[in-house]
Amino acid sequence: MPSLGADMEAATLSEWCRKPGDAVKSGDIIAVVETDKGAIEVEVFATGTIATLLVEEGEKVPVGTLLAVIADGTEAPQPTPAPALDVTSPLGEVPAGRGGAPAAPAPEAPTPAPAEAQRASEPSPGQDVERIHASPAARYRARELDVDLATVHGSGRHGDIVRADVERADAARAEHAAPEPVAPERATARAPEPLATERAAAPAPERVAPTQPAARPPTPSIRRAIAAAMARSNREIPHYYLSLGIDLRHALAWLAERNASRPVEGRVLPAALLLHAVARSLPGFPELNGTWDDDAFHPSATVNLAVAVALRGGGLVNPCIADAASLGLDATMSALSDLVARTRSGRLRASEIGAGTITVTNLGDLGVDETFGIIYPPQVALVGFGRIAPQPVAVGDLIGVHPVVRMTLAADHRASDGHRGGLFLAAVDRFLQEIS
Amino acid sequence: MTLRDQIAAALAPIAPEADLSTVDPRQPLRAQLDLDSMDFLRLLAAIKQRVGVDVPEADYGKIGTLEALEAYLTARGGH
């Protein structure tokens, strides 16, 4: 069971996507796991044949639990009391459970088998237990709404249950239910969101109070996960904060001209341009890009840029764009667009969660001028952007009005000093002034 | 399918809980539906697929309300 967040201790294996006897190669999706952040697809990084599945669908197990055995044709080494099969990210220096999650087994967890047994074993019989066919989004919704999937009629192909079916079942049940005291999880008041829930992109539209019914508030477990990570960060990391106003007149004019000749599918948002500027400037400042563990800083060879994406129902996920410094502007926009879409539809992969080396937040439609956030452990820096808004600026001896964005940096003082943080902000500014 | 229905269908995967029938067609659409700029771009892409009209960036200011969006699309042959 991979670690998918700094404070994740356990998760539920919601669905196996392969069965014993199937051939798999590195990168294939083998299972769907449900966490506080929603359904995450887990990849394998071995090639071979699945020998045994060790965890049942619906079972909740701690991080580090052996989930499956894959026969890759090699001889078994002597069994050792080693860590369980590592199905975490291929993005380098990230061992399982890196996020500092204690591996304390939960009472109901199975004892992890002695690991590293790579040889073929008998495929376990009885894997064809009758399964309820439901999409991960439907399973997650059923858990959120406390709906028993066995009572839901599936409208998908072959009778599969989709999310809308679960919602229909919940609505039908509510109509028939006797009035009962509303549990805190069902309260319709929108939970207050931390500052970091602003979302991707550009100039704020005129603000009119939303008239749509509020989407359901986040499940308490999402809030607990966020609260735990933020409290830990605030407790352990000595933050310093810097801020810089960046004149975007040149950059936005350049972008608009570039977008003018492109169809909607090929356009790049200002948010993507800002991410690109950050990614391209970071390699010169390795002390801002990496992880802090065991009283030491571990710089990362690549920039894995985590982006704060707000979920429509509330809550926050930080999937990352791997190796963002090597991507051009168009590739950055595609990656961002794809990540946002899959985050909101619940189809993120394990390799995209928890492997960030820095986070960018508040690509601010929300109407705040600047954000000073809390670093996501074990990262050492957090970049924030406020809204892009017209501001008076000096142009020679006169005053002009240009679109300006306030960029902020929260950084871990154990890993970097303010002088270097300031130089980083200046480097991003320069990138945007000179883009062509 | 009416144009309104097409827009609603385009919107569904982006804002699943949104209900166009409760939107004031003369007030800013993005604010009422809580759409950020990424959502909006995806909406335009979905509308283009369904209705066949590509809205250039320069015209974004002309489609700020549901009413204006429908008028714009209709004028350009969208249905």
Side-chain angles (χ1 to χ4, degrees):
Chain A
M1 175 66 71
S3 172
L4 298 171
D7 48 90
M8 177 178 148
E9 297 182 4
T12 304
L13 187 119
S14 90
E15 185 182 336
W16 282 112
C17 301
R18 294 284 210 271
K19 55 190 189 310
D22 284 354
V24 290
K25 59 186 191 306
S26 182
D28 284 352
I29 309 288
I30 189 176
V32 179
V33 162
E34 277 181 17
T35 70
D36 297 330
K37 315 262 181 189
I40 307 291
E41 296 173 334
V42 175
E43 303 108 308
V44 289
F45 299 105
T47 298
T49 310
I50 296 186
T52 333
L53 301 180
L54 297 169
V55 173
E56 305 245 330
E57 287 184 351
E59 215 179 324
K60 184 168 181 175
V61 300
V63 168
T65 304
L66 196 62
L67 297 179
V69 179
I70 296 174
D72 65 357
T74 58
E75 283 296 314
Q78 291 306 310
T80 59
L85 188 69
D86 183 357
V87 293
T88 52
S89 150
L91 289 174
E93 312 79 28
V94 180
R98 163 184 63 80
E108 69 271 23
T111 318
E116 314 291 56
Q118 293 276 333
R119 64 196 264 179
S121 59
E122 306 288 61
S124 58
Q127 285 291 328
D128 50 346
V129 170
E130 191 181 334
R131 294 173 41 175
I132 295 177
H133 290 268
S135 72
R139 287 177 188 274
Y140 181 69
R141 199 79 178 111
R143 217 163 56 112
E144 255 188 316
L145 298 175
D146 200 20
V147 169
D148 182 356
L149 281 177
T151 66
V152 177
H153 168 73
S155 68
R157 201 168 48 129
H158 308 311
D160 289 0
I161 297 170
V162 297
R163 181 185 158 125
D165 297 326
V166 173
E167 289 175 347
R168 256 194 294 279
D170 178 54
R173 179 179 63 176
E175 276 176 36
H176 293 117
E180 56 188 36
V182 173
E185 298 89 90
R186 304 289 190 96
T188 51
R190 229 185 139 125
E193 295 164 354
L195 202 56
T197 56
E198 290 74 63
R199 321 190 223 133
E206 292 170 34
R207 295 314 293 176
V208 169
T211 57
Q212 291 294 305
R216 280 184 183 268
T219 52
S221 55
I222 286 183
R223 288 254 66 91
R224 278 202 298 274
I226 294 171
M230 295 295 96
R232 173 184 159 198
S233 174
N234 219 27
R235 205 168 45 234
E236 295 176 4
I237 302 180
H239 285 62
Y240 69 85
Y241 297 94
L242 301 174
S243 146
L244 178 68
I246 298 181
D247 186 337
L248 288 181
R249 168 177 267 226
H250 165 74
L252 291 183
W254 174 84
L255 190 63
E257 194 184 323
R258 193 173 186 271
N259 280 340
S261 57
R262 289 164 170 234
V264 61
E265 301 86 0
R267 278 171 220 158
V268 173
L269 290 175
L273 178 58
L274 296 177
L275 286 178
H276 180 59
V278 167
R280 279 283 157 91
S281 306
L282 258 184
F285 298 90
E287 63 266 62
L288 298 174
N289 180 57
T291 56
W292 183 275
D293 255 334
D294 303 323
D295 281 335
F297 175 59
H298 307 283
S300 171
T302 55
V303 176
N304 303 322
L305 199 60
V307 182
V309 179
L311 302 176
R312 284 194 72 86
L316 190 63
V317 186
N318 302 322
C320 79
I321 299 174
D323 201 10
S326 71
L327 299 179
L329 180 58
D330 289 325
T332 302
M333 176 66 191
S334 296
L336 178 65
S337 182
D338 176 55
L339 270 188
V340 171
R342 284 189 295 110
T343 299
R344 302 238 174 103
S345 64
R347 301 308 300 193
L348 287 176
R349 295 172 210 128
S351 56
E352 292 164 331
I353 305 275
T357 55
I358 188 170
T359 300
V360 181
T361 188
N362 191 28
L363 299 183
D365 272 338
L366 204 64
V368 297
D369 288 326
E370 52 194 344
T371 74
F372 293 97
I374 300 179
I375 297 168
Y376 295 93
Q379 296 169 19
V380 294
L382 174 72
V383 173
F385 288 102
R387 63 183 176 148
I388 302 173
Q391 295 288 326
V393 298
V395 182
D397 290 336
L398 304 175
I399 293 181
V401 176
H402 292 188
V404 171
V405 69
R406 290 211 70 86
M407 176 178 178
T408 53
L409 174 71
D412 185 333
H413 220 314
R414 298 171 298 183
S416 68
D417 296 331
H419 179 65
R420 293 287 295 164
L423 290 178
F424 167 67
L425 290 180
V428 175
D429 186 2
R430 202 163 42 248
F431 182 95
L432 291 164
Q433 300 315 320
E434 294 172 0
I435 194 156
S436 62
Chain B
M1 224 186 201
T2 65
L3 183 58
R4 175 74 53 104
D5 288 340
Q6 293 276 35
I7 294 173
L11 189 59
I14 297 166
E17 76 291 343
D19 180 358
L20 270 193
S21 64
T22 64
V23 162
D24 182 340
R26 298 206 176 142
Q27 291 297 318
L29 180 64
R30 280 181 57 180
Q32 291 181 81
L33 296 177
D34 201 15
L35 300 178
D36 64 24
S37 58
M38 178 68 81
D39 295 329
F40 187 62
L41 196 63
R42 289 169 65 205
L43 176 62
L44 291 184
I47 286 176
K48 173 179 169 180
Q49 259 201 325
R50 292 178 166 272
V51 160
V53 177
D54 186 306
V55 184
E57 256 191 3
D59 286 355
Y60 285 179
K62 300 178 185 169
I63 54 170
T65 67
L66 183 57
E67 194 176 79
L69 174 61
E70 287 179 337
Y72 182 98
L73 294 173
T74 307
R76 280 155 190 78
H79 52 271

